[in-house]
Amino acid sequence: MEHGKKYEFGDITWYPSKHTAVYRYDSRVPMDTPGDGINDFLGFQSNEILISKSVRASEKLFESTKSVNGECTLADTTLWYKKQIGNGLKNNGKIFTGYPVVGRQGKMQTSGSCLYSPKTRIDASCAWDPRIKGLFFYESTAIFTATKFGDFIKDVKKLRDLKPENFCGIDHYNGFLIRYIKASKAYLGQSEDSIVVDFNYYRADEASTPRLNQDVMEEVEQMAFFKYGARPHWAKNRNLAFLKVQSKYLNFNKFIAVKKQLDPENMLSSEWSDEILFGKEGVGSDGCALEGLCICSEDKHCSPSKGYFCKPGLVYSEARVCRYSPSSSNL
């Protein structure tokens, strides 16, 4: 909280498996301060297609062989590289030479250079471009009231301490990105100062394919949205994060009234948007929990044929997660 209030655009990136937190100090400076820096965030840079494919191939190999050590090596390599390049900060618009990096607001608080890569570069693309079969991942973003955030972090640490390497999959992407935001008067905005936690993790090509240590991600997800009542980012998250979301916003009914007034025939709505807005849980079909369409209550909601069964959480016992339990399949 102190860091967020002191630095207007500061944030913290927490890598649980590495017991490491990276603090970003970001301050305004006078207009005449020299500097031509930019924030070319690594995740939004254009990458050589071969590299993106290679990283994805490594992920799939580690997943299929259930190699936690492989994921941790990938996380170590990613963290080392991000440190060397300042996570994409560039002092002169070209390379990172060290801190501080000084630049104009519009170039320091935005990024996305892969959108503007030359069309002649047919060997490069955004890493997540579906045409190249590159990175494919989930993104969960939870918004906590300040009074509950600390207890959430303590619970995640308890889960981490049981087996730190199980968090390497999250750390490989970007760890937990933590930001402080001020209250908003918007109907679906935050009614009080809040903490935003964002984390990404591997997603399988096929919806029916379970993931390595997916029970850990699911427990963190359910811990955030149900135990601590975090509010979901409207443009991110899996379906289950929106369950009972209307009860988390004091002005939700006012928003619905305005929505009906401006769009009486629901031209701008769909079955999918209604599922999100009204927090409807999907039908409990086979494998529905693998994609976050439901919270498992039966083994069939996971993937029992592949050794994944519906189990209670390890720290948040009320959570129901799909855990790899090969011994259960032999019963």
Side-chain angles (χ1 to χ4, degrees), residues 24 26 35-41 44 87-94 101-113 116:
R24 181 162 73 102
D26 203 326
D36 192 27
I38 64 172
N39 179 11
D40 190 12
F41 172 60
F44 298 156
N87 202 24
L89 289 170
K90 297 178 178 179
N91 299 75
N92 55 7
K94 296 181 180 180
V101 181
V102 181
R104 299 283 180 173
Q105 171 84 350
K107 292 184 178 181
M108 293 295 290
Q109 303 302 332
T110 63
S111 57
S113 62
Y116 309 104

Side-chain angles (χ1 to χ4, degrees), residues 75-322:
D76 286 338
T77 303
T78 302
L79 265 62
W80 175 85
Y81 184 63
K82 289 170 69 174
K83 185 175 181 179
Q84 303 309 307
I85 66 168
N87 202 24
L89 289 170
K90 297 178 178 179
N91 299 75
N92 55 7
K94 296 181 180 180
I95 61 173
F96 174 69
T97 58
Y99 297 104
V101 181
V102 181
R104 299 283 180 173
Q105 171 84 350
K107 292 184 178 181
M108 293 295 290
Q109 303 302 332
T110 63
S111 57
S113 62
C114 71
L115 294 175
Y116 309 104
S117 54
K119 294 182 179 180
T120 54
R121 286 291 306 276
I122 60 174
D123 63 325
S125 173
C126 295
W128 62 86
D129 190 328
R131 296 172 297 178
I132 67 169
K133 296 182 179 180
L135 301 185
F136 191 42
F137 52 88
Y138 294 109
E139 183 166 12
S140 293
T141 302
I143 306 171
F144 296 83
T145 56
T147 54
K148 295 182 178 181
F149 171 69
D151 288 334
F152 166 73
I153 290 294
K154 290 175 183 176
D155 269 358
V156 175
K157 284 185 175 181
K158 290 178 184 177
L159 185 60
R160 183 271 312 275
D161 291 343
L162 295 176
K163 200 170 184 180
E165 58 268 30
N166 285 351
F167 279 82
C168 285
I170 291 177
D171 288 352
H172 152 54
Y173 274 92
N174 198 37
F176 288 85
L177 178 61
I178 304 169
R179 290 166 289 137
Y180 169 86
I181 59 173
K182 294 182 179 180
S184 166
K185 293 182 179 180
Y187 286 154
L188 297 185
Q190 311 313 315
S191 58
E192 58 185 302
D193 291 0
S194 304
I195 308 295
V196 181
V197 179
D198 185 291
F199 62 101
N200 301 341
Y201 44 103
Y202 176 88
R203 184 177 186 180
D205 293 340
E206 299 294 332
S208 60
T209 302
R211 307 179 312 282
L212 178 63
N213 295 323
Q214 78 168 57
D215 61 305
V216 172
M217 287 70 161
E218 290 176 351
E219 185 167 350
V220 170
E221 186 179 37
Q222 293 179 40
M223 194 184 289
F225 294 112
F226 307 132
K227 182 176 182 179
Y228 293 107
R231 299 172 294 281
H233 188 299
W234 290 102
K236 303 177 183 179
N237 292 299
R238 308 193 309 167
N239 284 38
L240 70 87
F242 296 92
L243 296 179
K244 300 180 180 180
V245 69
Q246 58 268 40
S247 65
K248 298 180 179 180
Y249 289 91
L250 297 175
N251 294 317
F252 184 85
N253 290 334
K254 292 182 180 179
F255 170 81
I256 295 300
V258 173
K259 178 180 177 296
K260 289 181 178 179
Q261 180 183 358
L262 298 176
D263 184 24
E265 298 182 5
N266 284 327
M267 292 292 290
L268 301 178
S269 297
S270 67
E271 181 179 350
W272 174 81
S273 66
D274 284 347
E275 287 179 358
I276 298 302
L277 186 59
F278 296 102
K280 299 178 181 178
E281 184 170 9
V283 178
S285 57
D286 292 358
C288 61
L290 299 178
E291 285 276 293
L293 298 176
C294 72
I295 298 174
C296 72
S297 56
E298 303 177 52
D299 289 336
K300 70 174 185 177
H301 297 154
C302 298
S303 182
S305 64
K306 296 179 180 177
Y308 286 77
F309 297 84
C310 188
K311 301 287 185 180
L314 298 175
V315 171
Y316 176 38
S317 59
E318 293 183 29
R320 291 297 178 268
V321 300
C322 295

